[in-house]
Amino acid sequence: MSPASASAEKTERLLNLILALKSARRPVSKQKIRESLPAYAQASSDEAFDRMFERDKDELREMGIPITTTVLDVLFDDEVGYRIDASETSLPAISFEPDEMAALALAARAWSTASISGAASAGLRKLRLSGVEIDESVAAGAEPRIRTKEPAFEAVHAAVSALQPITFEYRRNDGELTTRHVQPWALKNWHGRWYLTGYDLDRRGERAFRLSRFEGPVTRKGRPGSYAVPTGHVPEVALEAEQPEPEGTAVVRVRHGRGHTLRRHATRTTELDDSWAEIELPYRRGTTERDVVALGTHAVALSPPELVDGVRSALLAVAEAHGAQGADGDQEAHEGLQARTGEGA
């Protein structure tokens, strides 16, 4: 097993110091701290320990963790003790509104097939143990799921986290395979696909890359933390530049409180009644269909005909995937398609 990195050792040392000072009922002397924590006990000298301890105290204070200092003996004011007040570092109880709980449940279900599905499930378990009721039936039907089936996902995610440049083979729209050298900035799930945004070192500019077009392994080049992501970087801006040009105007009916992605691009919104609104937005073939289908029964495609046909085809594919059988099932599926594509309206 390879030795732990200096960063990992420092993180462990700071965490142990926090736990020791938070759990102490009374201030702890510097000597007791050194004897109790292995990282300090292994210091080569008193001077080395003092330097390490002072740096750690300063770092914790910069992180917003207050360390109180108290004189242990009034007769010897140079003997001080240290302690962290738990009340100063603990968050108050958190409560959620019903719509917030629905969003949390939907987020956990969306990540159910991804590499962090375990963390999502653990989060829901903690909420249940704290007495929070979660409606598992939320967003049943045409439900969005965040998948990480792209082979490059794990390597790219690790490079983004480490701020480490990467090299990979990338297939362009015209089919040509090119070698890219990139400083990865962010990963973004955009209309059902994973994209990497970053700085293309060869083209000297910000670019977006679809992970499904990566070919072969992703190779890390350079040192971790060798660059910084621009403060104002917004992945959506780079991804918008990758979107196809609009092919006219789409008209979609959406329920109130739904379809925020569609509404964000709306050029006109008309409130129809207490339940529905009708919006106009630029029609981008493929993209608009996916946004409408993802809303299930909360959206109805009205025009253009290409949008209606695309939504119908996608919903038929969903019905087939769920194995709808029998005349009654076919009739129900047909009526559902009519409702969601504006037929018979």
Side-chain angles (χ1 to χ4, degrees):
M1 180 179 295
S2 60
S5 66
S7 176
E9 291 177 352
K10 178 182 177 181
T11 300
E12 182 179 1
R13 188 175 72 246
L14 290 175
L15 180 59
N16 287 336
L17 179 59
I18 293 171
L19 294 175
L21 296 183
K22 280 188 66 174
S23 61
R25 295 185 177 181
R26 56 181 59 88
V28 184
S29 68
K30 184 188 293 187
Q31 184 60 33
K32 186 66 175 178
I33 292 172
R34 182 178 183 183
E35 294 172 355
S36 302
L37 301 184
Y40 293 139
Q42 295 169 7
S44 58
S45 64
D46 291 343
E47 292 76 11
F49 162 66
D50 285 337
R51 289 194 300 269
M52 186 188 308
F53 182 61
E54 292 302 320
R55 284 197 303 267
D56 289 348
K57 283 195 305 177
D58 291 341
E59 187 149 347
L60 291 181
R61 284 167 175 153
E62 289 177 2
M63 294 165 57
I65 300 176
I67 299 178
T68 59
T69 304
T70 305
V71 176
L72 295 177
D73 191 331
V74 294
L75 299 179
F76 301 94
D77 57 6
D78 59 341
E79 182 65 22
V80 298
Y82 304 91
R83 187 169 179 267
I84 295 176
D85 188 347
S87 64
E88 295 290 333
T89 58
S90 300
L91 290 173
I94 300 175
S95 60
F96 297 98
E97 298 296 329
D99 58 337
E100 294 173 329
M101 285 309 311
L104 288 172
L106 179 58
R109 294 180 67 181
W111 279 107
S112 63
T113 58
S115 57
I116 64 168
S117 58
S121 299
L124 288 184
R125 284 197 299 272
K126 291 178 181 178
L127 289 173
R128 291 192 187 95
L129 290 174
S130 65
V132 177
E133 295 185 4
I134 298 174
D135 184 3
E136 291 286 359
S137 65
V138 65
E143 165 186 336
R145 289 189 180 272
I146 299 177
R147 303 179 185 275
T148 56
K149 61 183 179 181
E150 290 85 353
F153 182 89
E154 295 294 343
V156 173
H157 180 269
V160 170
S161 301
L163 295 177
Q164 188 171 13
I166 56 176
T167 298
F168 54 90
E169 299 295 315
Y170 187 73
R171 194 167 297 280
R172 303 192 319 182
N173 290 334
D174 59 8
E176 180 183 353
L177 197 62
T178 61
T179 301
R180 300 299 182 97
H181 303 86
V182 175
Q183 291 178 346
W185 288 352
L187 271 173
K188 179 73 176 180
N189 189 272
W190 185 258
H191 299 299
R193 294 189 176 97
W194 280 103
Y195 290 86
L196 166 69
T197 60
Y199 184 81
D200 191 313
L201 295 170
D202 297 320
R203 291 155 182 80
R204 299 184 180 181
E206 181 178 352
R207 295 289 189 275
F209 306 93
R210 188 191 301 179
L211 261 61
S212 61
R213 292 181 180 168
F214 281 51
E215 299 279 350
V218 175
T219 305
R220 296 200 207 183
K221 296 286 188 180
R223 296 180 297 102
S226 58
Y227 61 90
V229 178
T231 304
H233 174 60
V234 180
E236 288 82 355
V237 174
L239 293 170
E240 283 284 3
E242 297 288 321
Q243 297 303 303
E245 289 298 319
E247 302 178 28
T249 300
V251 180
V252 180
R253 190 175 299 165
V254 294
R255 291 187 190 273
H256 292 320
R258 304 283 182 166
H260 300 297
T261 299
L262 293 173
R263 292 174 183 271
R264 190 163 58 244
H265 300 289
T267 57
R268 183 182 65 83
T269 301
T270 302
E271 303 297 332
L272 300 179
D273 51 35
D274 293 339
S275 301
W276 293 90
E278 189 172 287
I279 64 174
E280 292 183 3
L281 70 157
Y283 171 55
R284 291 182 169 88
R285 189 183 301 272
T287 299
T288 308
E289 283 84 349
R290 286 193 300 271
D291 290 342
V292 174
V293 170
L295 291 170
T297 58
H298 301 298
V300 180
L302 300 178
S303 69
E306 295 87 348
L307 171 62
V308 176
D309 292 341
V311 171
R312 184 187 300 112
S313 297
L315 293 174
L316 281 172
V318 171
E320 292 175 1
H322 283 75
Q325 297 178 355
D328 292 340
D330 290 342
Q331 178 63 26
E332 182 179 352
H334 178 68
E335 292 174 354
L337 287 174
Q338 285 186 329
R340 281 180 263 182
T341 56
E343 288 186 352

